[in-house]
Amino acid sequence: TRVRSSAASDVYKRQIYYYIKRIININIMRTNVLKKGFTLSEVLITVGIIGIVAAMTLPSIIQANKNIEVSSKLKKIYSTMNQAILMSERDNGPKEYWEKCIGNNNSCESYYKKYFLPYLKETKTVEFNSYGGYNIAIHFSDGSVLVGKNSGGGADFFFFPNAKWFNSKTFGKNPTGDAYSREGLGISYFIFGFYPVSAQAGTNTDYCPLHKKKGFEPYLCEFLVRPNISQLKNSSSWGCNKNNTKNAILCTALIQSNNWNIPKDYPFKVK
């Protein structure tokens, strides 16, 4: 019995020794793994690679986010203005019969204050004069600005998704301030038209037939029929292309044709 007991005790001792040794070996392995690390040169190389990759990809990521922001605000102002026009029609009758803003400050001021402003949730408005006469800047809570400019048969609207690119002192002027300019169209601001009566005030000229009986739409007064994508890009005077940096009027319509998303081949970096 004692022999058997001694033998069993030896077995237990060997098993305990085995497990203790195994635990020690595992801890040694863990310690070695923790002690093993990168050399300084390896760390510097890794950081350098990360920096190069970030420098290459970050600008495109930032621009992609800016495209989304501008697209969203264009779609929003299009919906906001057309809803405002519908509400105004309930109070003021069909838009085709609204009083015209012919050119002097008094008639244009009352035009916007009667037909548009009561139906918009703007944060402030600023009236100013620039090349072309009376203008009103309508500021919204999302940081955008919509500028209304008097025009014979209706109104031109210039939409700035980011208000920091709008300056009433330089609006519509070239860098020397002595001539009319649309530099920045399709980049920092976008043009819409409101011409429910296509003939200009006091004339029988069919000025903007594609806008007739319609509301707030991308400016297309150059055309008699709806232009296709190629025409929006390559129109000789207003086309949305990289060679037309001062009068890219049709960029708004081009974005609308892509469901208010900036096309992948869009020629400019919006801001």
Side-chain angles (χ1 to χ4, degrees):
T1 302
R2 289 180 179 177
V3 172
R4 289 179 179 176
S5 176
S6 177
S9 177
D10 290 340
V11 171
Y12 291 135
K13 286 179 181 179
R14 285 195 297 272
Q15 289 178 341
I16 292 171
Y17 174 76
Y18 169 78
Y19 286 116
I20 291 174
K21 185 178 180 180
R22 187 174 179 184
I23 291 170
I24 292 173
N25 288 337
I26 291 172
N27 287 332
I28 290 173
M29 290 173 64
R30 287 178 177 175
T31 302
N32 289 336
V33 169
L34 293 174
K35 286 182 178 180
K36 186 177 180 180
F38 295 106
T39 65
L40 178 60
S41 61
E42 289 173 331
V43 172
L44 292 176
I45 290 171
T46 303
V47 171
I49 292 172
I50 293 173
I52 293 171
V53 173
M56 293 174 62
T57 59
L58 191 58
S60 61
I61 293 173
I62 293 173
Q63 188 59 51
N65 288 333
K66 179 58 65 175
N67 287 356
I68 293 172
E69 177 191 350
V70 170
S71 296
S72 175
K73 288 185 177 181
L74 281 169
K75 188 174 183 178
K76 180 180 178 181
I77 195 63
Y78 179 75
S79 174
T80 297
M81 288 299 292
N82 281 304
Q83 289 177 11
I85 290 169
L86 289 174
M87 289 188 289
S88 183
E89 284 187 299
R90 287 199 291 265
D91 294 336
N92 301 303
K95 55 186 174 292
E96 294 86 354
Y97 300 99
W98 290 358
E99 298 171 7
K100 301 297 184 295
C101 167
I102 299 175
N104 65 73
N105 287 10
N106 291 332
S107 68
C108 289
E109 180 181 355
S110 61
Y111 176 79
Y112 290 104
K113 290 183 176 180
K114 178 178 181 179
Y115 296 115
F116 290 101
L117 296 184
Y119 310 97
L120 295 171
K121 295 180 179 180
E122 79 282 358
T123 57
K124 69 174 181 178
T125 59
V126 178
E127 298 172 52
F128 64 99
N129 284 280
S130 73
Y131 189 91
Y134 176 85
N135 299 268
I136 183 169
I138 306 168
H139 292 253
F140 295 97
S141 60
D142 64 356
S144 63
V145 177
L146 182 66
V147 178
K149 181 178 79 68
N150 64 290
S151 188
D156 295 338
F157 286 97
F158 301 86
F159 178 64
F160 292 76
N162 192 328
K164 78 175 184 178
W165 301 112
F166 167 69
N167 185 333
S168 62
K169 295 180 180 179
T170 60
F171 175 75
K173 299 178 181 179
N174 69 11
T176 62
D178 60 359
Y180 189 61
S181 173
R182 292 195 180 100
E183 190 168 358
L185 260 178
I187 302 173
S188 58
Y189 69 105
F190 303 82
I191 184 171
F192 293 82
F194 177 66
Y195 293 92
V197 179
S198 62
Q200 284 190 298
T203 74
N204 293 318
T205 303
D206 208 10
Y207 181 58
C208 296
L210 288 179
H211 288 265
K212 190 173 183 178
K213 296 185 178 181
K214 292 187 177 180
F216 181 83
E217 295 290 335
Y219 194 90
L220 289 174
C221 285
E222 184 182 48
F223 298 94
L224 298 178
V225 295
R226 180 78 186 185
N228 57 35
I229 300 298
S230 178
Q231 290 173 314
L232 292 174
K233 293 180 178 179
N234 302 313
S235 171
S236 60
S237 56
W238 294 353
C240 186
N241 60 72
K242 64 181 180 181
N243 297 318
N244 191 10
T245 59
K246 295 184 179 180
N247 206 29
I249 290 174
L250 298 178
C251 285
T252 313
L254 180 64
I255 296 172
Q256 184 196 40
S257 70
N258 197 44
N259 197 29
W260 291 116
N261 295 310
I262 307 294
K264 291 182 179 180
D265 61 347
Y266 194 71
F268 306 119
K269 292 182 178 181
V270 300
K271 57 187 182 180

